[in-house]
Amino acid sequence: MIHKGVAHACYTPITIDEAPDLKCYVLAPLAVLPEFQRKGLATQLMDLVEKELQPDVVFIAGEKHHYGRRYNTPHKIGLPVKSEMPLENWFAKEFKAGILQGIVSNTTVTGPYSNPKQWAHPSEQF
Ligand SMILES: CC(C)(COP(=O)(O)OP(=O)(O)OC[C@H]1O[C@@H](n2cnc3c(N)ncnc32)[C@H](O)[C@@H]1OP(=O)(O)O)[C@@H](O)C(=O)NCCC(=O)NCCS
């Protein structure tokens, strides 16, 4: 069960330049109030939104211990801005098997997440 006001997830459309027909999102920010963390709420929220959005791919930038298991599709897709963030912190999850295979591409995003300040190294984010 999701409790309103406890967990927040924002999904912004993002375009893979070499595969513009794919329905892709970047998930940021994702946050759960400290006293409700480690109870699976972020996982429940992501499951729920993915069911509604029916994406081809979701990207997320962050730490491997948080996202490496769920967002585990190997890829060669770049960040949408110039950033110090290592690509090993840029995770993807494809929702149709093999959909990212063979694609080498940059990405484009518009709106607040086109500001490079939003794409700092994970260690500088909090
Ligand atoms: C990251 C965050 C959104 C996870 O929310 P949550 O409800 O606690 O997450 P869940 O309980 O659904 O767990 C999701 C995964 O993260 C892992 N995880 C969560 N907190 C962790 C921690 N402090 N250390 C290690 N792993 C952690 C869980 O084990 C789980 O991994 P799994 O799917 O491989 O089992 C939440 O901890 C948060 O808001 N943190 C503060 C902001 C932050 O640090 N964001 C991350 C920036 S990279």
Side-chain angles (χ1 to χ4, degrees), residues 8 10 22 26-27 32 34 36 40 48 53-55 64 78-79 87 93-96 99 103 105 117 120:
H8 172 83
C10 177
L22 294 184
V26 54
L27 169 52
V32 174
F36 292 93
L48 196 74
L53 290 179
Q54 298 279 310
K64 189 166 186 177
L79 292 167
L87 277 187
K93 178 180 178 189
E94 64 184 13
F95 290 80
K96 289 175 193 150
I99 208 166
I103 303 176
S105 180
K117 282 189 182 157

mmCIF file of all heavy atoms in Angstrom, residues 8 10 22 26-27 32 34 36 40 48 53-55 64 78-79 87 93-96 99 103 105 117 120:
data_model
loop_
_atom_site.group_PDB
_atom_site.id
_atom_site.type_symbol
_atom_site.label_atom_id
_atom_site.label_comp_id
_atom_site.label_asym_id
_atom_site.label_seq_id
_atom_site.Cartn_x
_atom_site.Cartn_y
_atom_site.Cartn_z
ATOM 1 N N HIS A 8 7.868 9.878 -2.914
ATOM 2 C CA HIS A 8 7.664 10.743 -4.076
ATOM 3 C C HIS A 8 8.524 10.238 -5.230
ATOM 4 O O HIS A 8 9.694 9.893 -5.041
ATOM 5 C CB HIS A 8 8.065 12.175 -3.723
ATOM 6 C CG HIS A 8 8.077 13.096 -4.901
ATOM 7 N ND1 HIS A 8 6.940 13.713 -5.367
ATOM 8 C CD2 HIS A 8 9.089 13.496 -5.710
ATOM 9 C CE1 HIS A 8 7.255 14.450 -6.415
ATOM 10 N NE2 HIS A 8 8.546 14.338 -6.647
ATOM 11 N N CYS A 10 9.259 11.282 -9.443
ATOM 12 C CA CYS A 10 8.966 12.140 -10.600
ATOM 13 C C CYS A 10 9.574 11.496 -11.852
ATOM 14 O O CYS A 10 10.768 11.178 -11.869
ATOM 15 C CB CYS A 10 9.569 13.520 -10.354
ATOM 16 S SG CYS A 10 9.359 14.639 -11.736
ATOM 17 N N LEU A 22 11.229 5.180 -28.966
ATOM 18 C CA LEU A 22 11.089 4.466 -27.694
ATOM 19 C C LEU A 22 10.506 5.410 -26.640
ATOM 20 O O LEU A 22 10.854 6.588 -26.580
ATOM 21 C CB LEU A 22 12.442 3.927 -27.217
ATOM 22 C CG LEU A 22 13.093 2.847 -28.071
ATOM 23 C CD1 LEU A 22 14.373 2.349 -27.405
ATOM 24 C CD2 LEU A 22 12.130 1.690 -28.317
ATOM 25 N N VAL A 26 13.163 9.408 -17.368
ATOM 26 C CA VAL A 26 14.189 9.420 -16.339
ATOM 27 C C VAL A 26 13.472 9.646 -15.005
ATOM 28 O O VAL A 26 12.594 10.499 -14.905
ATOM 29 C CB VAL A 26 15.287 10.470 -16.628
ATOM 30 C CG1 VAL A 26 14.730 11.860 -16.839
ATOM 31 C CG2 VAL A 26 16.318 10.483 -15.499
ATOM 32 N N LEU A 27 13.834 8.817 -14.037
ATOM 33 C CA LEU A 27 13.218 8.899 -12.709
ATOM 34 C C LEU A 27 14.115 9.731 -11.802
ATOM 35 O O LEU A 27 15.237 9.339 -11.474
ATOM 36 C CB LEU A 27 13.041 7.491 -12.140
ATOM 37 C CG LEU A 27 12.662 7.370 -10.656
ATOM 38 C CD1 LEU A 27 11.449 8.211 -10.310
ATOM 39 C CD2 LEU A 27 12.406 5.905 -10.313
ATOM 40 N N VAL A 32 11.938 8.840 -0.197
ATOM 41 C CA VAL A 32 11.031 8.292 0.818
ATOM 42 C C VAL A 32 11.431 8.936 2.152
ATOM 43 O O VAL A 32 12.633 9.051 2.447
ATOM 44 C CB VAL A 32 11.177 6.749 0.885
ATOM 45 C CG1 VAL A 32 10.353 6.176 2.028
ATOM 46 C CG2 VAL A 32 10.765 6.116 -0.437
ATOM 47 N N PRO A 34 12.636 9.531 5.784
ATOM 48 C CA PRO A 34 13.599 8.662 6.481
ATOM 49 C C PRO A 34 12.952 7.571 7.337
ATOM 50 O O PRO A 34 13.381 6.412 7.304
ATOM 51 C CB PRO A 34 14.394 9.646 7.352
ATOM 52 C CG PRO A 34 14.316 10.939 6.620
ATOM 53 C CD PRO A 34 12.966 10.960 5.931
ATOM 54 N N PHE A 36 10.372 5.977 6.936
ATOM 55 C CA PHE A 36 9.646 4.956 6.157
ATOM 56 C C PHE A 36 10.565 4.211 5.177
ATOM 57 O O PHE A 36 10.091 3.422 4.371
ATOM 58 C CB PHE A 36 8.495 5.602 5.382
ATOM 59 C CG PHE A 36 7.394 6.126 6.277
ATOM 60 C CD1 PHE A 36 7.398 7.438 6.701
ATOM 61 C CD2 PHE A 36 6.368 5.284 6.695
ATOM 62 C CE1 PHE A 36 6.389 7.914 7.531
ATOM 63 C CE2 PHE A 36 5.360 5.752 7.520
ATOM 64 C CZ PHE A 36 5.371 7.074 7.948
ATOM 65 N N GLY A 40 10.394 -1.116 1.471
ATOM 66 C CA GLY A 40 9.903 -1.485 0.153
ATOM 67 C C GLY A 40 8.967 -0.470 -0.479
ATOM 68 O O GLY A 40 8.376 -0.736 -1.532
ATOM 69 N N LEU A 48 4.124 0.591 -9.330
ATOM 70 C CA LEU A 48 2.830 1.191 -9.649
ATOM 71 C C LEU A 48 2.928 2.121 -10.868
ATOM 72 O O LEU A 48 2.133 2.035 -11.816
ATOM 73 C CB LEU A 48 2.384 2.005 -8.422
ATOM 74 C CG LEU A 48 0.961 2.438 -8.316
ATOM 75 C CD1 LEU A 48 0.101 1.233 -7.950
ATOM 76 C CD2 LEU A 48 0.818 3.497 -7.209
ATOM 77 N N LEU A 53 2.555 3.905 -16.712
ATOM 78 C CA LEU A 53 3.224 4.570 -17.835
ATOM 79 C C LEU A 53 3.523 3.621 -18.991
ATOM 80 O O LEU A 53 3.651 4.059 -20.125
ATOM 81 C CB LEU A 53 4.539 5.207 -17.372
ATOM 82 C CG LEU A 53 4.445 6.425 -16.457
ATOM 83 C CD1 LEU A 53 5.851 6.904 -16.079
ATOM 84 C CD2 LEU A 53 3.681 7.554 -17.127
ATOM 85 N N GLN A 54 3.673 2.332 -18.679
ATOM 86 C CA GLN A 54 4.041 1.352 -19.723
ATOM 87 C C GLN A 54 5.244 1.825 -20.542
ATOM 88 O O GLN A 54 5.165 1.963 -21.778
ATOM 89 C CB GLN A 54 2.845 1.125 -20.662
ATOM 90 C CG GLN A 54 1.632 0.542 -19.970
ATOM 91 C CD GLN A 54 1.753 -0.969 -19.786
ATOM 92 O OE1 GLN A 54 2.054 -1.700 -20.712
ATOM 93 N NE2 GLN A 54 1.537 -1.433 -18.578
ATOM 94 N N PRO A 55 6.355 2.096 -19.876
ATOM 95 C CA PRO A 55 7.523 2.614 -20.604
ATOM 96 C C PRO A 55 8.257 1.516 -21.376
ATOM 97 O O PRO A 55 8.090 0.324 -21.078
ATOM 98 C CB PRO A 55 8.415 3.133 -19.476
ATOM 99 C CG PRO A 55 8.080 2.261 -18.311
ATOM 100 C CD PRO A 55 6.624 1.888 -18.454
ATOM 101 N N LYS A 64 24.665 2.379 -6.850
ATOM 102 C CA LYS A 64 24.425 0.993 -7.239
ATOM 103 C C LYS A 64 23.633 0.232 -6.167
ATOM 104 O O LYS A 64 22.761 -0.580 -6.479
ATOM 105 C CB LYS A 64 25.768 0.304 -7.485
ATOM 106 C CG LYS A 64 25.606 -1.059 -8.093
ATOM 107 C CD LYS A 64 26.885 -1.604 -8.639
ATOM 108 C CE LYS A 64 26.526 -2.912 -9.356
ATOM 109 N NZ LYS A 64 27.617 -3.534 -10.000
ATOM 110 N N GLY A 78 24.024 7.730 -23.296
ATOM 111 C CA GLY A 78 24.651 8.792 -22.513
ATOM 112 C C GLY A 78 23.654 9.619 -21.717
ATOM 113 O O GLY A 78 22.435 9.534 -21.887
ATOM 114 N N LEU A 79 24.230 10.448 -20.837
ATOM 115 C CA LEU A 79 23.423 11.408 -20.080
ATOM 116 C C LEU A 79 22.970 12.526 -21.020
ATOM 117 O O LEU A 79 23.627 12.806 -22.021
ATOM 118 C CB LEU A 79 24.273 12.023 -18.969
ATOM 119 C CG LEU A 79 24.703 11.106 -17.831
ATOM 120 C CD1 LEU A 79 25.800 11.790 -17.011
ATOM 121 C CD2 LEU A 79 23.521 10.775 -16.947
ATOM 122 N N LEU A 87 29.332 7.042 -15.874
ATOM 123 C CA LEU A 87 28.233 6.295 -16.517
ATOM 124 C C LEU A 87 27.842 5.051 -15.712
ATOM 125 O O LEU A 87 26.741 4.539 -15.862
ATOM 126 C CB LEU A 87 28.610 5.924 -17.943
ATOM 127 C CG LEU A 87 28.361 7.043 -18.965
ATOM 128 C CD1 LEU A 87 28.592 6.538 -20.372
ATOM 129 C CD2 LEU A 87 26.964 7.647 -18.827
ATOM 130 N N LYS A 93 16.550 0.399 -17.121
ATOM 131 C CA LYS A 93 15.763 -0.837 -17.074
ATOM 132 C C LYS A 93 14.917 -0.869 -18.331
ATOM 133 O O LYS A 93 14.122 0.057 -18.568
ATOM 134 C CB LYS A 93 14.871 -0.837 -15.831
ATOM 135 C CG LYS A 93 13.992 -2.065 -15.718
ATOM 136 C CD LYS A 93 13.128 -2.024 -14.474
ATOM 137 C CE LYS A 93 12.233 -3.248 -14.423
ATOM 138 N NZ LYS A 93 11.233 -3.185 -13.371
ATOM 139 N N GLU A 94 15.124 -1.896 -19.140
ATOM 140 C CA GLU A 94 14.299 -2.028 -20.340
ATOM 141 C C GLU A 94 13.113 -2.921 -20.024
ATOM 142 O O GLU A 94 13.213 -3.844 -19.214
ATOM 143 C CB GLU A 94 15.112 -2.578 -21.522
ATOM 144 C CG GLU A 94 15.626 -3.984 -21.301
ATOM 145 C CD GLU A 94 16.508 -4.501 -22.429
ATOM 146 O OE1 GLU A 94 16.946 -3.712 -23.280
ATOM 147 O OE2 GLU A 94 16.741 -5.724 -22.450
ATOM 148 N N PHE A 95 11.999 -2.614 -20.662
ATOM 149 C CA PHE A 95 10.755 -3.343 -20.370
ATOM 150 C C PHE A 95 10.371 -4.287 -21.507
ATOM 151 O O PHE A 95 9.356 -4.973 -21.412
ATOM 152 C CB PHE A 95 9.623 -2.356 -20.052
ATOM 153 C CG PHE A 95 9.840 -1.683 -18.717
ATOM 154 C CD1 PHE A 95 10.722 -0.623 -18.593
ATOM 155 C CD2 PHE A 95 9.211 -2.158 -17.585
ATOM 156 C CE1 PHE A 95 10.960 -0.021 -17.361
ATOM 157 C CE2 PHE A 95 9.443 -1.579 -16.349
ATOM 158 C CZ PHE A 95 10.317 -0.500 -16.237
ATOM 159 N N LYS A 96 11.153 -4.257 -22.598
ATOM 160 C CA LYS A 96 11.009 -5.270 -23.657
ATOM 161 C C LYS A 96 12.403 -5.815 -23.875
ATOM 162 O O LYS A 96 13.330 -5.037 -24.144
ATOM 163 C CB LYS A 96 10.476 -4.632 -24.945
ATOM 164 C CG LYS A 96 9.021 -4.224 -24.853
ATOM 165 C CD LYS A 96 8.555 -3.492 -26.110
ATOM 166 C CE LYS A 96 7.219 -2.834 -25.839
ATOM 167 N NZ LYS A 96 7.013 -1.599 -26.615
ATOM 168 N N ILE A 99 15.643 -4.390 -26.086
ATOM 169 C CA ILE A 99 15.272 -3.162 -26.799
ATOM 170 C C ILE A 99 16.428 -2.157 -26.873
ATOM 171 O O ILE A 99 16.508 -1.356 -27.809
ATOM 172 C CB ILE A 99 14.008 -2.545 -26.151
ATOM 173 C CG1 ILE A 99 13.220 -1.757 -27.158
ATOM 174 C CG2 ILE A 99 14.324 -1.701 -24.953
ATOM 175 C CD1 ILE A 99 11.824 -1.419 -26.696
ATOM 176 N N ILE A 103 22.152 -0.135 -29.391
ATOM 177 C CA ILE A 103 21.951 1.314 -29.509
ATOM 178 C C ILE A 103 23.077 2.040 -28.772
ATOM 179 O O ILE A 103 23.308 1.802 -27.587
ATOM 180 C CB ILE A 103 20.588 1.761 -28.913
ATOM 181 C CG1 ILE A 103 19.434 1.015 -29.577
ATOM 182 C CG2 ILE A 103 20.421 3.263 -29.064
ATOM 183 C CD1 ILE A 103 18.070 1.338 -28.980
ATOM 184 N N SER A 105 24.031 5.908 -28.140
ATOM 185 C CA SER A 105 23.350 7.180 -28.384
ATOM 186 C C SER A 105 23.489 8.147 -27.218
ATOM 187 O O SER A 105 23.687 7.748 -26.070
ATOM 188 C CB SER A 105 21.854 6.912 -28.615
ATOM 189 O OG SER A 105 21.161 8.113 -28.859
ATOM 190 N N LYS A 117 23.012 21.318 -13.453
ATOM 191 C CA LYS A 117 23.111 21.278 -11.980
ATOM 192 C C LYS A 117 22.329 20.114 -11.383
ATOM 193 O O LYS A 117 22.601 19.655 -10.278
ATOM 194 C CB LYS A 117 22.579 22.584 -11.386
ATOM 195 C CG LYS A 117 23.569 23.718 -11.488
ATOM 196 C CD LYS A 117 23.094 24.917 -10.705
ATOM 197 C CE LYS A 117 24.099 26.047 -10.873
ATOM 198 N NZ LYS A 117 23.495 27.351 -10.627
ATOM 199 N N ALA A 120 24.594 16.379 -10.937
ATOM 200 C CA ALA A 120 25.872 16.320 -10.228
ATOM 201 C C ALA A 120 26.230 14.865 -9.920
ATOM 202 O O ALA A 120 25.380 13.974 -9.983
ATOM 203 C CB ALA A 120 25.768 17.113 -8.938
#
